[in-house]
Amino acid sequence: MGVRVMVVDEHRLLAEALASALKLRGHRVLAAAAPAAGAAELVISRAPEVCLLGTASPAEPGVFEPVVRIKRERPQIAVVVLGPVPSPRGIAAAFAAGASGYVRHDERIEGVERALAKARAGEAAVAPQLLQGAFAELLNPAAAPDDEAGRLLRLLTPREIEVLVRVAEGEDTRLIAAGMSIAPSTARTHVQRVLMKLGVGSRLEAAALAARTGLLDRAALPFPDGPGTGSATIPAQPGPRE
């Protein structure tokens, strides 16, 4: 006997194509709707046996709030999430919200049907390969990328970061001194300290390193305490000459 199913996905063409395929295979498809914002209300009002709920970002915070609401107000409705290859966090978040299963967007229609049947029967509907991939990632997590920009920012004081920004913008010692209201000799000392801490031999190399690592994009953001204390946000600092 066919499953009374509802398809909800933000991509209308995908929702309608899947709904049509399920209808051809004998399932009773109640609706194919696109709006994610009103998904929970729509599903609750139609009360299908199973809802196929599409998402493009299974790891995004709050993405499974519709599942939470559906299960709270209509606990008898089984929800199967339809999405991309998920991370372990995505799968965990879906089931924590109350989902009965997870199906990839590129799954064959037979796989979707199996998931619907399992969900209606109260079973977990997740392909074995998805679970294997999730467990493999949990047991052997990928190493976090080296945050070179963050490391370099922690080496510099806020004033040295301002000097680096000015160097990258092509300012010479005179302009740096004028812009920071300090003596040229002090500006020269700051530049030399920046070059030493970054491990480069010239202003050009410092500017290239800052651009390559994205350090300049991070220079206006707070960073963890380190040798350069405080925030990387550099306000204008008029005042007496140093």
Side-chain angles (χ1 to χ4, degrees), residues 47-115:
E49 291 177 298
V50 182
C51 169
L52 276 172
L53 183 66
T55 178
S57 306
E60 184 178 329
V63 72
F64 296 121
E65 282 303 314
V67 181
V68 174
R69 184 176 171 192
I70 291 168
K71 297 303 294 183
R72 182 176 64 242
E73 299 193 24
R74 295 274 186 168
Q76 71 275 19
I77 299 175
V79 180
V80 175
V81 175
L82 183 67
V85 178
S87 66
R89 181 179 298 178
I91 289 181
F95 278 90
S100 298
Y102 193 105
V103 177
R104 285 175 43 170
H105 275 139
D106 59 355
E107 179 63 77
R108 296 173 62 89
I109 191 64
E110 294 84 1
V112 176
E113 284 189 296
R114 284 194 295 271

Side-chain angles (χ1 to χ4, degrees), residues 49 62 74 92-93 110 166 192 201-202 234 240:
E49 291 177 298
R74 295 274 186 168
E110 294 84 1
R166 291 178 179 275
Q192 290 303 316
S202 69
I234 308 298

Side-chain angles (χ1 to χ4, degrees), residues 14-30:
L14 174 62
E16 292 179 348
L18 182 53
S20 296
L22 290 171
K23 284 180 182 178
L24 289 174
R25 300 176 76 87
H27 299 284
R28 293 166 290 164
V29 183
L30 299 181

